[in-house]
Amino acid sequence: MPKNRKLLFRCVAVLLGLSVLPLFEMACRIAGWGADRPAIDAFAEFAAVRPLFRLDDSGKRYHVAEDRRSFFAEDSFAAQKPPDEFRIFVFGGSTVQGRPYSVPTAFGTFLEIGLKNAVPSKRWEVVNCGGVSYASYRLLPIMQECLSYEPDLYILCTGHNEFLECITYAKVISAASIVSHTYRRLHGLNSFRLLQIAMGGTAPSESDATRRSHDSVLAEEVDALLDHQGGLEAYSRATLHADRVVATFGHNLQRAIDLSGHAGVPMLLMRPPSNLQNCPPFKSEFSARTDDSARRQIATDLKAAGRLQTTNMNEATDLLEQITAADERFAFSWYQLGQAYMLSGRTDDAVVAFRRARNEDVCPLRMTSDLGDMMFSVAENNNTPLLDIHQLLQKTARRNIVGDSVLVDHIHPSFRSNQTIAFAVIDRLRSLNLIPMEHKEWQASAQTAFDDHLQSLDNLYFLHGQRTLKSLKAWAQGRGDGPPLSVSGTETR
């Protein structure tokens, strides 16, 4: 047989063989074989995932597992849900937990008290799933777990902690990107899913499929950079991988919405508040385009502007505007300009400058505008209700700029602010027709119940909270006392 004819025969044979695949896929789709089931597993790689809640010895109540209480506070709920109970799970970081205090003064507790006054004919259970330093990707497995506990509503308040593990997290999502993309393309085929089921009994999740494909995994529990000696020094604009983290944050929010939506559980998203007025950037970094001479000049001018603020505010403001123009990436300059605007009565300009200072902070312990915009975009695209807590507290803050008048540190609400949040959540739930409203004057009775609840807490509770606040402020300034940070096998000291 001539060479050309042999080659032609082989090509035809290959094409005939390949043609079986689309025919098989078509047959699977028509017959419904390998039909897709909602993919709700978080595409984040963890060394292990432990349940947050465990049954007690009586088998009657679930409690936060003892081996999770380094990051979560104790909370519990009945294993057998009463028929008239409305059960709410609140997910997030330390803001949800109620830090620097704890669950008794978190907004979730005030929410439960308020609901009992607004609709006393129902049983109300608000379960606190706030984990210290927990970012969106660490909340997803917990949200999935809680689907088995008969939830009636999910509330997700997240956004501050996305950069706490930015170095290791960036490695994980980078290593997973190619594998996950390939897996998702294949997973879209009924024939591929059918083969998975035939080979293993059930189709593995994305996490199972990719965990075996690469070694980059996140620690079982949070390993924040600032928990280590040298953690603050490890932060730089390059190590943030900001664009990737923001994009993945949007993906995590989408997964959370899909998870609750597939289970028929309503969800309320919440944008947490940030202290703009009284929180200088935790770390400022010059632009790479600013040379040493310009950096020295900026440092000199900042000192001069500080002196001018006591004698000539207009000149101080003009000088600070020149400084921010000389290097638009240096966060502290924007913060100083915001202070000057605020003292001059230019509130709107001050907010813009303070927000820019927060966004240019290379140790971003507060939710950036890009993260906030991503949350709003995902909520809008999915028609998911969103409550903007920052905007809510801005209305009651001094000079209408969120600061120490409504927050106790860089992100955590005061007792009064947590009560304000609870009132706002109840109003939103009512407007969404998720709860009835039996008493028009419920807020007055709820406020009395809030006050009584605070009075019932002993002095040790408040003393412990003050000590935690002091430690938290030291932590945020890079004074973590953990082991020296190890990055790529080298220690940072």
Side-chain angles (χ1 to χ4, degrees), residues 27-85:
C28 289
R29 295 195 178 198
I30 293 172
W33 300 331
D36 193 17
R37 287 180 291 177
I40 58 177
D41 293 313
F43 195 78
E45 297 301 300
F46 298 100
V49 176
R50 294 169 293 160
L52 178 60
F53 295 100
R54 287 204 178 100
L55 274 173
D56 60 17
D57 292 338
S58 71
K60 294 182 179 180
R61 292 193 71 81
Y62 279 101
H63 292 262
V64 170
E66 290 188 7
D67 61 357
R68 304 297 299 272
R69 292 186 191 174
S70 295
F71 294 88
F72 293 85
E74 162 61 357
D75 206 354
S76 67
F77 54 92
Q80 186 68 37
K81 181 181 175 183
D84 60 342
E85 180 179 287

Short mmCIF file of all heavy atoms in Angstrom, two decimals, residues 27-85:
data_model
loop_
_atom_site.label_atom_id
_atom_site.label_comp_id
_atom_site.label_asym_id
_atom_site.label_seq_id
_atom_site.Cartn_x
_atom_site.Cartn_y
_atom_site.Cartn_z
N ALA A 27 -25.34 11.11 23.58
CA ALA A 27 -26.22 10.09 24.14
C ALA A 27 -26.40 10.28 25.64
O ALA A 27 -27.50 10.11 26.19
CB ALA A 27 -25.66 8.70 23.84
N CYS A 28 -25.30 10.64 26.33
CA CYS A 28 -25.37 10.86 27.78
C CYS A 28 -26.31 12.01 28.12
O CYS A 28 -27.09 11.94 29.07
CB CYS A 28 -23.98 11.13 28.35
SG CYS A 28 -22.89 9.69 28.39
N ARG A 29 -26.24 13.08 27.34
CA ARG A 29 -27.08 14.24 27.61
C ARG A 29 -28.55 13.93 27.36
O ARG A 29 -29.42 14.35 28.10
CB ARG A 29 -26.62 15.43 26.76
CG ARG A 29 -25.23 15.92 27.12
CD ARG A 29 -24.92 17.28 26.57
NE ARG A 29 -23.60 17.72 27.00
CZ ARG A 29 -23.19 18.98 26.96
NH1 ARG A 29 -23.99 19.92 26.50
NH2 ARG A 29 -21.98 19.30 27.38
N ILE A 30 -28.82 13.21 26.26
CA ILE A 30 -30.20 12.87 25.95
C ILE A 30 -30.79 11.98 27.03
O ILE A 30 -31.93 12.16 27.48
CB ILE A 30 -30.28 12.18 24.57
CG1 ILE A 30 -29.91 13.19 23.46
CG2 ILE A 30 -31.69 11.61 24.32
CD1 ILE A 30 -29.78 12.56 22.09
N ALA A 31 -29.99 11.00 27.48
CA ALA A 31 -30.48 10.06 28.48
C ALA A 31 -30.40 10.60 29.90
O ALA A 31 -30.96 10.01 30.82
CB ALA A 31 -29.68 8.75 28.38
N GLY A 32 -29.69 11.69 30.09
CA GLY A 32 -29.53 12.25 31.43
C GLY A 32 -28.49 11.55 32.26
O GLY A 32 -28.43 11.73 33.48
N TRP A 33 -27.64 10.74 31.60
CA TRP A 33 -26.58 10.04 32.35
C TRP A 33 -25.50 11.04 32.76
O TRP A 33 -25.10 11.91 31.98
CB TRP A 33 -25.94 8.94 31.49
CG TRP A 33 -26.91 7.89 31.04
CD1 TRP A 33 -28.04 7.49 31.67
CD2 TRP A 33 -26.82 7.12 29.82
NE1 TRP A 33 -28.68 6.51 30.96
CE2 TRP A 33 -27.94 6.25 29.82
CE3 TRP A 33 -25.92 7.06 28.76
CZ2 TRP A 33 -28.19 5.36 28.79
CZ3 TRP A 33 -26.15 6.17 27.73
CH2 TRP A 33 -27.28 5.33 27.75
N GLY A 34 -25.02 10.91 33.95
CA GLY A 34 -23.95 11.79 34.42
C GLY A 34 -24.40 13.23 34.58
O GLY A 34 -23.60 14.15 34.44
N ALA A 35 -25.72 13.41 34.85
CA ALA A 35 -26.23 14.78 35.00
C ALA A 35 -25.48 15.51 36.10
O ALA A 35 -25.11 14.92 37.12
CB ALA A 35 -27.73 14.74 35.32
N ASP A 36 -25.25 16.79 35.88
CA ASP A 36 -24.45 17.57 36.82
C ASP A 36 -25.21 17.79 38.12
O ASP A 36 -26.41 18.03 38.12
CB ASP A 36 -24.10 18.93 36.21
CG ASP A 36 -23.03 19.65 37.01
OD1 ASP A 36 -22.35 18.98 37.81
OD2 ASP A 36 -22.88 20.86 36.80
N ARG A 37 -24.49 17.68 39.20
CA ARG A 37 -25.01 18.06 40.50
C ARG A 37 -24.31 19.34 40.92
O ARG A 37 -23.15 19.54 40.57
CB ARG A 37 -24.76 16.94 41.52
CG ARG A 37 -25.65 15.75 41.29
CD ARG A 37 -25.38 14.66 42.31
NE ARG A 37 -24.08 14.05 42.10
CZ ARG A 37 -23.59 13.10 42.89
NH1 ARG A 37 -24.28 12.68 43.93
NH2 ARG A 37 -22.40 12.58 42.66
N PRO A 38 -25.01 20.20 41.64
CA PRO A 38 -24.40 21.48 41.97
C PRO A 38 -23.03 21.33 42.61
O PRO A 38 -22.87 20.58 43.57
CB PRO A 38 -25.41 22.10 42.97
CG PRO A 38 -26.71 21.42 42.65
CD PRO A 38 -26.34 20.02 42.19
N ALA A 39 -22.06 22.02 42.06
CA ALA A 39 -20.71 21.99 42.63
C ALA A 39 -20.61 23.03 43.71
O ALA A 39 -20.58 24.21 43.44
CB ALA A 39 -19.67 22.26 41.54
N ILE A 40 -20.60 22.61 44.95
CA ILE A 40 -20.63 23.56 46.05
C ILE A 40 -19.36 23.50 46.88
O ILE A 40 -19.21 24.26 47.84
CB ILE A 40 -21.86 23.33 46.96
CG1 ILE A 40 -21.85 21.90 47.51
CG2 ILE A 40 -23.14 23.59 46.21
CD1 ILE A 40 -22.98 21.60 48.49
N ASP A 41 -18.45 22.60 46.55
CA ASP A 41 -17.22 22.52 47.33
C ASP A 41 -16.35 23.72 47.04
O ASP A 41 -16.23 24.17 45.92
CB ASP A 41 -16.44 21.25 46.98
CG ASP A 41 -17.19 20.00 47.43
OD1 ASP A 41 -17.64 20.00 48.58
OD2 ASP A 41 -17.33 19.07 46.62
N ALA A 42 -15.70 24.23 48.07
CA ALA A 42 -14.80 25.37 47.90
C ALA A 42 -13.56 24.91 47.15
O ALA A 42 -12.94 23.93 47.52
CB ALA A 42 -14.39 25.93 49.26
N PHE A 43 -13.18 25.66 46.11
CA PHE A 43 -11.95 25.29 45.41
C PHE A 43 -10.78 25.97 46.12
O PHE A 43 -10.17 26.91 45.65
CB PHE A 43 -12.00 25.69 43.94
CG PHE A 43 -10.93 25.01 43.17
CD1 PHE A 43 -11.08 23.69 42.81
CD2 PHE A 43 -9.75 25.64 42.87
CE1 PHE A 43 -10.07 23.03 42.14
CE2 PHE A 43 -8.74 25.00 42.20
CZ PHE A 43 -8.90 23.69 41.83
N ALA A 44 -10.54 25.50 47.30
CA ALA A 44 -9.39 25.95 48.08
C ALA A 44 -8.79 24.71 48.69
O ALA A 44 -9.50 23.78 49.06
CB ALA A 44 -9.82 26.94 49.16
N GLU A 45 -7.49 24.67 48.77
CA GLU A 45 -6.81 23.46 49.21
C GLU A 45 -6.40 23.57 50.68
O GLU A 45 -5.66 24.46 51.06
CB GLU A 45 -5.56 23.24 48.35
CG GLU A 45 -5.88 23.02 46.87
CD GLU A 45 -6.76 21.81 46.67
OE1 GLU A 45 -6.37 20.71 47.04
OE2 GLU A 45 -7.87 21.97 46.15
N PHE A 46 -6.91 22.66 51.49
CA PHE A 46 -6.60 22.64 52.90
C PHE A 46 -5.92 21.32 53.25
O PHE A 46 -6.22 20.28 52.67
CB PHE A 46 -7.87 22.79 53.75
CG PHE A 46 -8.58 24.09 53.55
CD1 PHE A 46 -9.69 24.17 52.73
CD2 PHE A 46 -8.13 25.24 54.17
CE1 PHE A 46 -10.34 25.38 52.54
CE2 PHE A 46 -8.77 26.45 53.99
CZ PHE A 46 -9.88 26.52 53.17
N ALA A 47 -5.02 21.38 54.22
CA ALA A 47 -4.37 20.15 54.67
C ALA A 47 -5.40 19.19 55.25
O ALA A 47 -5.26 17.97 55.13
CB ALA A 47 -3.32 20.49 55.72
N ALA A 48 -6.45 19.73 55.87
CA ALA A 48 -7.55 18.93 56.41
C ALA A 48 -8.70 19.86 56.73
O ALA A 48 -8.50 21.07 56.89
CB ALA A 48 -7.11 18.16 57.66
N VAL A 49 -9.90 19.32 56.79
CA VAL A 49 -11.08 20.10 57.16
C VAL A 49 -11.78 19.36 58.29
O VAL A 49 -12.20 18.21 58.12
CB VAL A 49 -12.04 20.29 55.97
CG1 VAL A 49 -13.30 21.01 56.42
CG2 VAL A 49 -11.36 21.07 54.84
N ARG A 50 -11.89 20.01 59.45
CA ARG A 50 -12.55 19.41 60.60
C ARG A 50 -13.91 20.07 60.79
O ARG A 50 -14.08 21.25 60.48
CB ARG A 50 -11.73 19.61 61.86
CG ARG A 50 -10.39 18.89 61.88
CD ARG A 50 -9.55 19.37 63.06
NE ARG A 50 -9.15 20.76 62.88
CZ ARG A 50 -8.76 21.57 63.87
NH1 ARG A 50 -8.72 21.11 65.10
NH2 ARG A 50 -8.39 22.80 63.62
N PRO A 51 -14.89 19.33 61.30
CA PRO A 51 -16.20 19.95 61.55
C PRO A 51 -16.10 21.03 62.62
O PRO A 51 -15.32 20.91 63.57
CB PRO A 51 -17.07 18.77 62.01
CG PRO A 51 -16.10 17.75 62.51
CD PRO A 51 -14.87 17.91 61.67
N LEU A 52 -16.89 22.07 62.46
CA LEU A 52 -16.91 23.13 63.46
C LEU A 52 -17.74 22.73 64.67
O LEU A 52 -17.41 23.09 65.80
CB LEU A 52 -17.48 24.42 62.85
CG LEU A 52 -17.59 25.62 63.80
CD1 LEU A 52 -16.23 26.01 64.36
CD2 LEU A 52 -18.24 26.81 63.10
N PHE A 53 -18.80 21.97 64.44
CA PHE A 53 -19.71 21.60 65.53
C PHE A 53 -19.66 20.09 65.78
O PHE A 53 -19.52 19.30 64.84
CB PHE A 53 -21.14 22.01 65.19
CG PHE A 53 -21.32 23.50 65.10
CD1 PHE A 53 -21.34 24.14 63.86
CD2 PHE A 53 -21.45 24.28 66.24
CE1 PHE A 53 -21.50 25.51 63.76
CE2 PHE A 53 -21.61 25.66 66.16
CZ PHE A 53 -21.63 26.27 64.92
N ARG A 54 -19.79 19.72 67.06
CA ARG A 54 -19.87 18.31 67.44
C ARG A 54 -20.97 18.12 68.46
O ARG A 54 -21.24 19.00 69.30
CB ARG A 54 -18.54 17.84 68.04
CG ARG A 54 -17.43 17.67 67.02
CD ARG A 54 -16.38 16.68 67.50
NE ARG A 54 -15.34 16.49 66.49
CZ ARG A 54 -14.15 17.07 66.52
NH1 ARG A 54 -13.87 17.89 67.50
NH2 ARG A 54 -13.27 16.83 65.57
N LEU A 55 -21.62 16.95 68.42
CA LEU A 55 -22.65 16.62 69.40
C LEU A 55 -22.03 16.43 70.78
O LEU A 55 -20.93 15.87 70.91
CB LEU A 55 -23.37 15.34 69.00
CG LEU A 55 -24.56 15.45 68.04
CD1 LEU A 55 -25.03 14.07 67.64
CD2 LEU A 55 -25.69 16.26 68.66
N ASP A 56 -22.74 16.88 71.81
CA ASP A 56 -22.26 16.63 73.16
C ASP A 56 -22.59 15.20 73.57
O ASP A 56 -23.20 14.44 72.81
CB ASP A 56 -22.85 17.65 74.14
CG ASP A 56 -24.37 17.62 74.20
OD1 ASP A 56 -24.98 16.63 73.74
OD2 ASP A 56 -24.96 18.59 74.72
N ASP A 57 -22.18 14.83 74.76
CA ASP A 57 -22.35 13.46 75.22
C ASP A 57 -23.82 13.06 75.32
O ASP A 57 -24.17 11.88 75.17
CB ASP A 57 -21.67 13.26 76.58
CG ASP A 57 -20.15 13.36 76.48
OD1 ASP A 57 -19.63 13.17 75.36
OD2 ASP A 57 -19.51 13.63 77.50
N SER A 58 -24.68 14.03 75.55
CA SER A 58 -26.11 13.72 75.66
C SER A 58 -26.75 13.48 74.30
O SER A 58 -27.82 12.89 74.21
CB SER A 58 -26.84 14.87 76.37
OG SER A 58 -26.90 16.02 75.52
N GLY A 59 -26.07 13.93 73.25
CA GLY A 59 -26.62 13.80 71.91
C GLY A 59 -27.75 14.78 71.63
O GLY A 59 -28.41 14.68 70.59
N LYS A 60 -27.92 15.77 72.51
CA LYS A 60 -29.04 16.69 72.37
C LYS A 60 -28.64 18.05 71.80
O LYS A 60 -29.49 18.79 71.31
CB LYS A 60 -29.73 16.89 73.72
CG LYS A 60 -30.42 15.63 74.23
CD LYS A 60 -31.13 15.91 75.55
CE LYS A 60 -31.85 14.65 76.05
NZ LYS A 60 -32.56 14.90 77.34
N ARG A 61 -27.35 18.41 71.91
CA ARG A 61 -26.94 19.73 71.42
C ARG A 61 -25.62 19.63 70.66
O ARG A 61 -24.74 18.83 71.00
CB ARG A 61 -26.77 20.73 72.57
CG ARG A 61 -28.06 21.11 73.26
CD ARG A 61 -27.87 22.31 74.17
NE ARG A 61 -27.66 23.56 73.44
CZ ARG A 61 -28.64 24.29 72.89
NH1 ARG A 61 -29.91 23.90 72.99
NH2 ARG A 61 -28.37 25.41 72.27
N TYR A 62 -25.53 20.47 69.64
CA TYR A 62 -24.26 20.67 68.95
C TYR A 62 -23.53 21.84 69.61
O TYR A 62 -24.14 22.87 69.92
CB TYR A 62 -24.49 21.00 67.48
CG TYR A 62 -24.75 19.79 66.61
CD1 TYR A 62 -26.05 19.46 66.22
CD2 TYR A 62 -23.70 18.99 66.17
CE1 TYR A 62 -26.30 18.36 65.41
CE2 TYR A 62 -23.93 17.89 65.36
CZ TYR A 62 -25.23 17.58 64.99
OH TYR A 62 -25.47 16.49 64.19
N HIS A 63 -22.23 21.67 69.82
CA HIS A 63 -21.38 22.73 70.37
C HIS A 63 -20.20 22.95 69.43
O HIS A 63 -19.81 22.04 68.68
CB HIS A 63 -20.84 22.33 71.75
CG HIS A 63 -21.88 22.26 72.81
ND1 HIS A 63 -22.11 23.29 73.70
CD2 HIS A 63 -22.76 21.28 73.14
CE1 HIS A 63 -23.08 22.94 74.54
NE2 HIS A 63 -23.49 21.72 74.21
N VAL A 64 -19.63 24.15 69.48
CA VAL A 64 -18.37 24.37 68.76
C VAL A 64 -17.35 23.38 69.30
O VAL A 64 -17.14 23.28 70.52
CB VAL A 64 -17.88 25.82 68.95
CG1 VAL A 64 -16.47 25.99 68.40
CG2 VAL A 64 -18.83 26.80 68.26
N ALA A 65 -16.73 22.64 68.40
CA ALA A 65 -15.78 21.60 68.80
C ALA A 65 -14.63 22.21 69.59
O ALA A 65 -14.15 23.30 69.27
CB ALA A 65 -15.25 20.88 67.57
N GLU A 66 -14.18 21.50 70.61
CA GLU A 66 -13.13 22.02 71.47
C GLU A 66 -11.84 22.29 70.70
O GLU A 66 -11.10 23.23 71.02
CB GLU A 66 -12.87 21.05 72.62
CG GLU A 66 -13.99 21.00 73.64
CD GLU A 66 -13.64 20.17 74.86
OE1 GLU A 66 -12.45 19.77 74.96
OE2 GLU A 66 -14.53 19.94 75.71
N ASP A 67 -11.55 21.47 69.68
CA ASP A 67 -10.31 21.68 68.94
C ASP A 67 -10.41 22.82 67.93
O ASP A 67 -9.47 23.07 67.19
CB ASP A 67 -9.88 20.38 68.23
CG ASP A 67 -10.90 19.88 67.23
OD1 ASP A 67 -11.99 20.50 67.10
OD2 ASP A 67 -10.63 18.86 66.56
N ARG A 68 -11.55 23.53 67.91
CA ARG A 68 -11.69 24.71 67.04
C ARG A 68 -11.76 26.00 67.85
O ARG A 68 -11.89 27.08 67.27
CB ARG A 68 -12.96 24.60 66.18
CG ARG A 68 -13.08 23.35 65.32
CD ARG A 68 -11.98 23.26 64.27
NE ARG A 68 -11.96 24.35 63.34
CZ ARG A 68 -12.67 24.39 62.20
NH1 ARG A 68 -13.46 23.39 61.88
NH2 ARG A 68 -12.57 25.41 61.38
N ARG A 69 -11.66 25.91 69.17
CA ARG A 69 -11.93 27.09 69.99
C ARG A 69 -10.76 28.05 70.12
O ARG A 69 -10.86 29.06 70.82
CB ARG A 69 -12.43 26.65 71.38
CG ARG A 69 -13.80 26.00 71.30
CD ARG A 69 -14.38 25.67 72.64
NE ARG A 69 -15.57 24.82 72.49
CZ ARG A 69 -16.23 24.28 73.51
NH1 ARG A 69 -15.82 24.51 74.76
NH2 ARG A 69 -17.28 23.52 73.30
N SER A 70 -9.66 27.75 69.45
CA SER A 70 -8.60 28.76 69.37
C SER A 70 -9.01 29.89 68.45
O SER A 70 -8.50 31.01 68.56
CB SER A 70 -7.30 28.11 68.85
OG SER A 70 -6.81 27.16 69.77
N PHE A 71 -9.94 29.61 67.55
CA PHE A 71 -10.37 30.60 66.58
C PHE A 71 -11.86 30.93 66.68
O PHE A 71 -12.28 31.99 66.25
CB PHE A 71 -10.06 30.12 65.15
CG PHE A 71 -8.59 30.00 64.87
CD1 PHE A 71 -7.90 28.83 65.14
CD2 PHE A 71 -7.88 31.07 64.36
CE1 PHE A 71 -6.54 28.72 64.89
CE2 PHE A 71 -6.52 30.98 64.10
CZ PHE A 71 -5.85 29.80 64.38
N PHE A 72 -12.65 30.03 67.26
CA PHE A 72 -14.09 30.22 67.38
C PHE A 72 -14.48 30.24 68.85
O PHE A 72 -13.89 29.52 69.67
CB PHE A 72 -14.85 29.11 66.66
CG PHE A 72 -14.68 29.14 65.17
CD1 PHE A 72 -13.59 28.51 64.57
CD2 PHE A 72 -15.60 29.79 64.35
CE1 PHE A 72 -13.41 28.53 63.21
CE2 PHE A 72 -15.43 29.81 62.98
CZ PHE A 72 -14.33 29.19 62.40
N ALA A 73 -15.48 31.04 69.18
CA ALA A 73 -15.99 31.08 70.55
C ALA A 73 -17.09 30.04 70.71
O ALA A 73 -17.71 29.61 69.73
CB ALA A 73 -16.53 32.47 70.86
N GLU A 74 -17.33 29.64 71.94
CA GLU A 74 -18.35 28.64 72.22
C GLU A 74 -19.74 29.15 71.82
O GLU A 74 -20.12 30.28 72.10
CB GLU A 74 -18.34 28.28 73.71
CG GLU A 74 -19.58 27.59 74.23
CD GLU A 74 -19.90 26.25 73.57
OE1 GLU A 74 -19.19 25.82 72.65
OE2 GLU A 74 -20.90 25.63 73.99
N ASP A 75 -20.47 28.29 71.13
CA ASP A 75 -21.87 28.52 70.82
C ASP A 75 -22.50 27.15 70.61
O ASP A 75 -21.78 26.17 70.35
CB ASP A 75 -22.05 29.41 69.59
CG ASP A 75 -23.38 30.16 69.62
OD1 ASP A 75 -24.19 29.90 70.54
OD2 ASP A 75 -23.62 30.99 68.73
N SER A 76 -23.81 27.06 70.70
CA SER A 76 -24.45 25.76 70.58
C SER A 76 -25.88 25.92 70.09
O SER A 76 -26.44 27.03 70.09
CB SER A 76 -24.45 25.03 71.93
OG SER A 76 -25.28 25.69 72.86
N PHE A 77 -26.48 24.81 69.67
CA PHE A 77 -27.88 24.79 69.24
C PHE A 77 -28.40 23.37 69.37
O PHE A 77 -27.62 22.40 69.45
CB PHE A 77 -28.03 25.30 67.81
CG PHE A 77 -27.17 24.59 66.80
CD1 PHE A 77 -27.66 23.49 66.10
CD2 PHE A 77 -25.86 25.01 66.57
CE1 PHE A 77 -26.86 22.84 65.17
CE2 PHE A 77 -25.06 24.36 65.64
CZ PHE A 77 -25.55 23.26 64.94
N ALA A 78 -29.70 23.22 69.39
CA ALA A 78 -30.33 21.92 69.61
C ALA A 78 -30.11 21.01 68.41
O ALA A 78 -30.22 21.44 67.25
CB ALA A 78 -31.82 22.09 69.86
N ALA A 79 -29.79 19.75 68.69
CA ALA A 79 -29.62 18.78 67.60
C ALA A 79 -30.95 18.51 66.91
O ALA A 79 -31.00 18.33 65.70
CB ALA A 79 -29.03 17.48 68.17
N GLN A 80 -32.02 18.46 67.69
CA GLN A 80 -33.36 18.30 67.14
C GLN A 80 -34.01 19.67 67.07
O GLN A 80 -34.40 20.25 68.07
CB GLN A 80 -34.19 17.36 68.03
CG GLN A 80 -35.56 16.99 67.47
CD GLN A 80 -35.49 16.13 66.23
OE1 GLN A 80 -34.63 15.25 66.14
NE2 GLN A 80 -36.36 16.38 65.27
N LYS A 81 -34.14 20.19 65.88
CA LYS A 81 -34.67 21.54 65.72
C LYS A 81 -36.16 21.59 66.06
O LYS A 81 -36.95 20.82 65.49
CB LYS A 81 -34.46 22.01 64.28
CG LYS A 81 -34.95 23.42 64.01
CD LYS A 81 -34.70 23.78 62.54
CE LYS A 81 -35.28 25.14 62.20
NZ LYS A 81 -35.11 25.45 60.76
N PRO A 82 -36.57 22.46 66.99
CA PRO A 82 -38.00 22.60 67.30
C PRO A 82 -38.79 23.04 66.07
O PRO A 82 -38.27 23.79 65.23
CB PRO A 82 -38.03 23.68 68.39
CG PRO A 82 -36.66 23.64 68.99
CD PRO A 82 -35.74 23.30 67.86
N PRO A 83 -40.02 22.60 65.93
CA PRO A 83 -40.78 22.90 64.71
C PRO A 83 -41.05 24.38 64.49
O PRO A 83 -41.23 24.81 63.35
CB PRO A 83 -42.09 22.11 64.92
CG PRO A 83 -42.16 21.83 66.38
CD PRO A 83 -40.76 21.71 66.86
N ASP A 84 -41.09 25.17 65.56
CA ASP A 84 -41.39 26.59 65.40
C ASP A 84 -40.14 27.47 65.46
O ASP A 84 -40.24 28.69 65.63
CB ASP A 84 -42.38 27.05 66.48
CG ASP A 84 -41.85 26.85 67.89
OD1 ASP A 84 -40.90 26.06 68.05
OD2 ASP A 84 -42.38 27.50 68.82
N GLU A 85 -38.97 26.85 65.32
CA GLU A 85 -37.72 27.63 65.42
C GLU A 85 -37.28 28.15 64.06
O GLU A 85 -37.35 27.45 63.05
CB GLU A 85 -36.61 26.77 66.02
CG GLU A 85 -35.27 27.50 66.15
CD GLU A 85 -34.20 26.63 66.77
OE1 GLU A 85 -34.28 26.39 68.00
OE2 GLU A 85 -33.31 26.16 66.05
#
